[in-house]
Amino acid sequence: MRGMTGFGRAEHATESWHISVELKSYNSRYLEIQVNVPPGYGELEPRLRAMVTERVRRGRVELALSVVDLTDSVRVSADTGSARAYLAALRELSDVAGGGAVTLSNLLAVGGFLSERREVSVERVWSDCRQPLEQAFAQFEHACRQDGRVTAADLSRLLAEVKREVDLIETEAPRAAQSQRDAVAARVQELLADSVNEERLIAALATLLAKSDVNEELVRLRGHLGAFEDALAAGERAKKLEFISQEMMREANTVAAKGAAFSISAAAVRVKDAVERIREHLRNVA
């Protein structure tokens, strides 16, 4: 089982640049990817996004790549034509407003006149990114697996809790059924003393007793518990486990509604509580 909370970070330095990668994720119903790359390296974004898609099933994943150039490959140029036009406009505004002389600081505050160009091969950067990326993903995967192991352990505990309650219901069910039959039999004797259609009365009471029988629900609930354990051991995706837990909740609801004794209804409520906690866990794993 793999959790959706993870973190990984790695750095790598060459003669040309210093590269750092940071990867983290949070719980989310679907796979959401946010990739941040420095200016001039936008070509790497789809490749990084593809790496995340290949390795992560769901969750909000944030990947940040930092590349510090250690060479003089950066070239900065000025758009002097635009700067002159803005300078003239600023001076005109200053005259209208009765302000002072327009300075370089005023012009730089407008911005957009300087552009940066890197004389570097993106492929070379991508090649040197692979090592820190793999290291960051390894740390990230380890954290997610650890998160998943903690969740799986609690899921096993909750399943054991459900089993104990099902055992209790199975123990209580025969006694509850016998008690209900005795109560029904006594009531039948009272009613038969009056002018009541005996056959219709017995048929109605038989239907009532059948509707309070929870044996079929318990058999199905145990089957779902076994299927959940098998799927958990096999490392099935959370979506399948969510479906099984939904069926477990359905049977628990029926047992709670049909329970002829308070002990059965109370145990069924505890089953529902445990199953709901199982479902909450499954919303946070991949």
mmCIF file of all heavy atoms in Angstrom, residues 30-56:
data_model
loop_
_atom_site.group_PDB
_atom_site.id
_atom_site.type_symbol
_atom_site.label_atom_id
_atom_site.label_comp_id
_atom_site.label_asym_id
_atom_site.label_seq_id
_atom_site.Cartn_x
_atom_site.Cartn_y
_atom_site.Cartn_z
ATOM 1 N N TYR A 30 -7.731 12.932 -6.972
ATOM 2 C CA TYR A 30 -7.189 12.644 -8.301
ATOM 3 C C TYR A 30 -5.712 13.013 -8.342
ATOM 4 O O TYR A 30 -5.157 13.542 -7.370
ATOM 5 C CB TYR A 30 -7.954 13.428 -9.366
ATOM 6 C CG TYR A 30 -9.441 13.197 -9.347
ATOM 7 C CD1 TYR A 30 -10.310 14.150 -8.812
ATOM 8 C CD2 TYR A 30 -9.986 12.006 -9.835
ATOM 9 C CE1 TYR A 30 -11.683 13.939 -8.786
ATOM 10 C CE2 TYR A 30 -11.354 11.787 -9.799
ATOM 11 C CZ TYR A 30 -12.194 12.753 -9.279
ATOM 12 O OH TYR A 30 -13.547 12.525 -9.239
ATOM 13 N N LEU A 31 -5.077 12.746 -9.452
ATOM 14 C CA LEU A 31 -3.674 13.116 -9.636
ATOM 15 C C LEU A 31 -3.603 14.552 -10.138
ATOM 16 O O LEU A 31 -4.103 14.874 -11.209
ATOM 17 C CB LEU A 31 -2.995 12.173 -10.636
ATOM 18 C CG LEU A 31 -1.523 12.508 -10.957
ATOM 19 C CD1 LEU A 31 -0.680 12.468 -9.690
ATOM 20 C CD2 LEU A 31 -0.969 11.539 -12.002
ATOM 21 N N GLU A 32 -3.000 15.414 -9.330
ATOM 22 C CA GLU A 32 -2.786 16.809 -9.698
ATOM 23 C C GLU A 32 -1.283 17.075 -9.649
ATOM 24 O O GLU A 32 -0.639 16.781 -8.648
ATOM 25 C CB GLU A 32 -3.505 17.754 -8.735
ATOM 26 C CG GLU A 32 -5.000 17.501 -8.602
ATOM 27 C CD GLU A 32 -5.617 18.380 -7.534
ATOM 28 O OE1 GLU A 32 -5.397 19.605 -7.586
ATOM 29 O OE2 GLU A 32 -6.281 17.837 -6.641
ATOM 30 N N ILE A 33 -0.754 17.628 -10.714
ATOM 31 C CA ILE A 33 0.697 17.823 -10.814
ATOM 32 C C ILE A 33 1.015 19.300 -11.015
ATOM 33 O O ILE A 33 0.450 19.947 -11.898
ATOM 34 C CB ILE A 33 1.287 17.011 -11.984
ATOM 35 C CG1 ILE A 33 0.936 15.525 -11.843
ATOM 36 C CG2 ILE A 33 2.798 17.190 -12.057
ATOM 37 C CD1 ILE A 33 1.345 14.687 -13.034
ATOM 38 N N GLN A 34 1.919 19.804 -10.206
ATOM 39 C CA GLN A 34 2.407 21.172 -10.353
ATOM 40 C C GLN A 34 3.924 21.114 -10.503
ATOM 41 O O GLN A 34 4.626 20.599 -9.624
ATOM 42 C CB GLN A 34 2.034 22.026 -9.145
ATOM 43 C CG GLN A 34 2.549 23.459 -9.237
ATOM 44 C CD GLN A 34 2.157 24.292 -8.033
ATOM 45 O OE1 GLN A 34 1.113 24.084 -7.434
ATOM 46 N NE2 GLN A 34 3.016 25.220 -7.667
ATOM 47 N N VAL A 35 4.427 21.634 -11.602
ATOM 48 C CA VAL A 35 5.860 21.605 -11.890
ATOM 49 C C VAL A 35 6.373 23.035 -11.995
ATOM 50 O O VAL A 35 5.809 23.859 -12.720
ATOM 51 C CB VAL A 35 6.157 20.851 -13.209
ATOM 52 C CG1 VAL A 35 7.643 20.913 -13.537
ATOM 53 C CG2 VAL A 35 5.693 19.401 -13.101
ATOM 54 N N ASN A 36 7.438 23.310 -11.273
ATOM 55 C CA ASN A 36 8.076 24.625 -11.325
ATOM 56 C C ASN A 36 9.506 24.485 -11.839
ATOM 57 O O ASN A 36 10.302 23.730 -11.271
ATOM 58 C CB ASN A 36 8.097 25.274 -9.934
ATOM 59 C CG ASN A 36 6.708 25.590 -9.426
ATOM 60 O OD1 ASN A 36 5.888 26.130 -10.157
ATOM 61 N ND2 ASN A 36 6.426 25.245 -8.174
ATOM 62 N N VAL A 37 9.811 25.190 -12.914
ATOM 63 C CA VAL A 37 11.162 25.181 -13.477
ATOM 64 C C VAL A 37 11.647 26.627 -13.590
ATOM 65 O O VAL A 37 10.836 27.555 -13.708
ATOM 66 C CB VAL A 37 11.198 24.501 -14.863
ATOM 67 C CG1 VAL A 37 10.813 23.031 -14.753
ATOM 68 C CG2 VAL A 37 10.268 25.219 -15.850
ATOM 69 N N PRO A 38 12.958 26.848 -13.553
ATOM 70 C CA PRO A 38 13.466 28.223 -13.643
ATOM 71 C C PRO A 38 13.285 28.788 -15.051
ATOM 72 O O PRO A 38 13.105 28.034 -16.023
ATOM 73 C CB PRO A 38 14.951 28.072 -13.284
ATOM 74 C CG PRO A 38 15.274 26.646 -13.588
ATOM 75 C CD PRO A 38 14.037 25.862 -13.329
ATOM 76 N N PRO A 39 13.322 30.096 -15.196
ATOM 77 C CA PRO A 39 13.196 30.721 -16.526
ATOM 78 C C PRO A 39 14.256 30.174 -17.491
ATOM 79 O O PRO A 39 15.409 29.984 -17.129
ATOM 80 C CB PRO A 39 13.427 32.211 -16.237
ATOM 81 C CG PRO A 39 13.060 32.367 -14.797
ATOM 82 C CD PRO A 39 13.462 31.092 -14.118
ATOM 83 N N GLY A 40 13.813 29.920 -18.691
ATOM 84 C CA GLY A 40 14.719 29.406 -19.698
ATOM 85 C C GLY A 40 14.736 27.899 -19.816
ATOM 86 O O GLY A 40 15.356 27.348 -20.729
ATOM 87 N N TYR A 41 14.045 27.214 -18.883
ATOM 88 C CA TYR A 41 14.047 25.749 -18.900
ATOM 89 C C TYR A 41 12.625 25.193 -19.038
ATOM 90 O O TYR A 41 12.338 24.085 -18.602
ATOM 91 C CB TYR A 41 14.696 25.209 -17.628
ATOM 92 C CG TYR A 41 16.154 25.578 -17.498
ATOM 93 C CD1 TYR A 41 16.549 26.659 -16.721
ATOM 94 C CD2 TYR A 41 17.139 24.862 -18.177
ATOM 95 C CE1 TYR A 41 17.881 27.021 -16.604
ATOM 96 C CE2 TYR A 41 18.476 25.206 -18.061
ATOM 97 C CZ TYR A 41 18.840 26.291 -17.278
ATOM 98 O OH TYR A 41 20.175 26.638 -17.176
ATOM 99 N N GLY A 42 11.741 25.962 -19.633
ATOM 100 C CA GLY A 42 10.362 25.514 -19.805
ATOM 101 C C GLY A 42 10.238 24.235 -20.607
ATOM 102 O O GLY A 42 9.280 23.478 -20.449
ATOM 103 N N GLU A 43 11.218 23.958 -21.447
ATOM 104 C CA GLU A 43 11.186 22.737 -22.264
ATOM 105 C C GLU A 43 11.235 21.479 -21.406
ATOM 106 O O GLU A 43 10.813 20.400 -21.842
ATOM 107 C CB GLU A 43 12.383 22.759 -23.222
ATOM 108 C CG GLU A 43 12.393 21.635 -24.240
ATOM 109 C CD GLU A 43 13.574 21.739 -25.187
ATOM 110 O OE1 GLU A 43 14.078 22.862 -25.381
ATOM 111 O OE2 GLU A 43 13.979 20.695 -25.745
ATOM 112 N N LEU A 44 11.732 21.614 -20.168
ATOM 113 C CA LEU A 44 11.841 20.446 -19.300
ATOM 114 C C LEU A 44 10.531 20.126 -18.572
ATOM 115 O O LEU A 44 10.369 19.032 -18.048
ATOM 116 C CB LEU A 44 12.938 20.680 -18.253
ATOM 117 C CG LEU A 44 14.360 20.886 -18.779
ATOM 118 C CD1 LEU A 44 15.327 21.075 -17.625
ATOM 119 C CD2 LEU A 44 14.788 19.714 -19.650
ATOM 120 N N GLU A 45 9.606 21.067 -18.525
ATOM 121 C CA GLU A 45 8.373 20.857 -17.761
ATOM 122 C C GLU A 45 7.581 19.633 -18.202
ATOM 123 O O GLU A 45 7.193 18.810 -17.360
ATOM 124 C CB GLU A 45 7.500 22.109 -17.806
ATOM 125 C CG GLU A 45 6.209 21.939 -17.006
ATOM 126 C CD GLU A 45 5.363 23.195 -16.972
ATOM 127 O OE1 GLU A 45 5.892 24.282 -17.305
ATOM 128 O OE2 GLU A 45 4.176 23.096 -16.623
ATOM 129 N N PRO A 46 7.301 19.432 -19.504
ATOM 130 C CA PRO A 46 6.537 18.239 -19.886
ATOM 131 C C PRO A 46 7.267 16.942 -19.571
ATOM 132 O O PRO A 46 6.635 15.928 -19.266
ATOM 133 C CB PRO A 46 6.324 18.421 -21.395
ATOM 134 C CG PRO A 46 7.313 19.437 -21.827
ATOM 135 C CD PRO A 46 7.540 20.319 -20.650
ATOM 136 N N ARG A 47 8.591 16.951 -19.609
ATOM 137 C CA ARG A 47 9.341 15.733 -19.277
ATOM 138 C C ARG A 47 9.214 15.420 -17.789
ATOM 139 O O ARG A 47 9.042 14.248 -17.406
ATOM 140 C CB ARG A 47 10.816 15.916 -19.639
ATOM 141 C CG ARG A 47 11.056 16.296 -21.088
ATOM 142 C CD ARG A 47 12.542 16.327 -21.401
ATOM 143 N NE ARG A 47 12.815 16.972 -22.688
ATOM 144 C CZ ARG A 47 14.015 17.028 -23.252
ATOM 145 N NH1 ARG A 47 15.055 16.472 -22.655
ATOM 146 N NH2 ARG A 47 14.192 17.638 -24.415
ATOM 147 N N LEU A 48 9.292 16.445 -16.965
ATOM 148 C CA LEU A 48 9.141 16.244 -15.529
ATOM 149 C C LEU A 48 7.727 15.788 -15.188
ATOM 150 O O LEU A 48 7.514 14.906 -14.350
ATOM 151 C CB LEU A 48 9.470 17.546 -14.790
ATOM 152 C CG LEU A 48 10.920 18.019 -14.905
ATOM 153 C CD1 LEU A 48 11.057 19.429 -14.354
ATOM 154 C CD2 LEU A 48 11.856 17.071 -14.176
ATOM 155 N N ARG A 49 6.753 16.375 -15.852
ATOM 156 C CA ARG A 49 5.357 15.989 -15.638
ATOM 157 C C ARG A 49 5.140 14.522 -16.014
ATOM 158 O O ARG A 49 4.412 13.784 -15.326
ATOM 159 C CB ARG A 49 4.445 16.906 -16.448
ATOM 160 C CG ARG A 49 2.964 16.770 -16.155
ATOM 161 C CD ARG A 49 2.173 17.816 -16.936
ATOM 162 N NE ARG A 49 2.498 19.162 -16.493
ATOM 163 C CZ ARG A 49 1.905 19.761 -15.476
ATOM 164 N NH1 ARG A 49 0.936 19.146 -14.818
ATOM 165 N NH2 ARG A 49 2.245 20.999 -15.134
ATOM 166 N N ALA A 50 5.775 14.094 -17.101
ATOM 167 C CA ALA A 50 5.653 12.699 -17.543
ATOM 168 C C ALA A 50 6.267 11.750 -16.508
ATOM 169 O O ALA A 50 5.737 10.660 -16.260
ATOM 170 C CB ALA A 50 6.324 12.513 -18.897
ATOM 171 N N MET A 51 7.379 12.159 -15.888
ATOM 172 C CA MET A 51 8.010 11.314 -14.860
ATOM 173 C C MET A 51 7.070 11.112 -13.680
ATOM 174 O O MET A 51 6.958 10.004 -13.145
ATOM 175 C CB MET A 51 9.312 11.963 -14.378
ATOM 176 C CG MET A 51 10.465 11.885 -15.353
ATOM 177 S SD MET A 51 12.019 12.444 -14.585
ATOM 178 C CE MET A 51 12.350 11.090 -13.461
ATOM 179 N N VAL A 52 6.400 12.174 -13.273
ATOM 180 C CA VAL A 52 5.467 12.069 -12.152
ATOM 181 C C VAL A 52 4.292 11.155 -12.520
ATOM 182 O O VAL A 52 3.889 10.281 -11.741
ATOM 183 C CB VAL A 52 4.948 13.459 -11.735
ATOM 184 C CG1 VAL A 52 3.889 13.329 -10.643
ATOM 185 C CG2 VAL A 52 6.100 14.341 -11.253
ATOM 186 N N THR A 53 3.758 11.332 -13.712
ATOM 187 C CA THR A 53 2.618 10.535 -14.158
ATOM 188 C C THR A 53 2.949 9.047 -14.183
ATOM 189 O O THR A 53 2.105 8.206 -13.858
ATOM 190 C CB THR A 53 2.164 10.992 -15.556
ATOM 191 O OG1 THR A 53 1.852 12.385 -15.528
ATOM 192 C CG2 THR A 53 0.935 10.221 -16.014
ATOM 193 N N GLU A 54 4.170 8.714 -14.547
ATOM 194 C CA GLU A 54 4.581 7.307 -14.618
ATOM 195 C C GLU A 54 4.698 6.667 -13.241
ATOM 196 O O GLU A 54 4.554 5.451 -13.102
ATOM 197 C CB GLU A 54 5.932 7.198 -15.325
ATOM 198 C CG GLU A 54 5.883 7.501 -16.813
ATOM 199 C CD GLU A 54 7.271 7.555 -17.428
ATOM 200 O OE1 GLU A 54 8.257 7.357 -16.676
ATOM 201 O OE2 GLU A 54 7.373 7.802 -18.646
ATOM 202 N N ARG A 55 4.940 7.475 -12.211
ATOM 203 C CA ARG A 55 5.282 6.912 -10.906
ATOM 204 C C ARG A 55 4.241 7.146 -9.817
ATOM 205 O O ARG A 55 4.306 6.515 -8.764
ATOM 206 C CB ARG A 55 6.621 7.511 -10.432
ATOM 207 C CG ARG A 55 7.747 7.274 -11.421
ATOM 208 C CD ARG A 55 9.002 8.012 -10.997
ATOM 209 N NE ARG A 55 10.042 7.898 -12.030
ATOM 210 C CZ ARG A 55 11.300 7.615 -11.787
ATOM 211 N NH1 ARG A 55 11.699 7.405 -10.550
ATOM 212 N NH2 ARG A 55 12.183 7.537 -12.765
ATOM 213 N N VAL A 56 3.309 8.044 -10.033
ATOM 214 C CA VAL A 56 2.342 8.384 -8.990
ATOM 215 C C VAL A 56 0.930 8.128 -9.505
ATOM 216 O O VAL A 56 0.596 8.526 -10.622
ATOM 217 C CB VAL A 56 2.489 9.861 -8.555
ATOM 218 C CG1 VAL A 56 1.508 10.186 -7.442
ATOM 219 C CG2 VAL A 56 3.924 10.147 -8.107
#
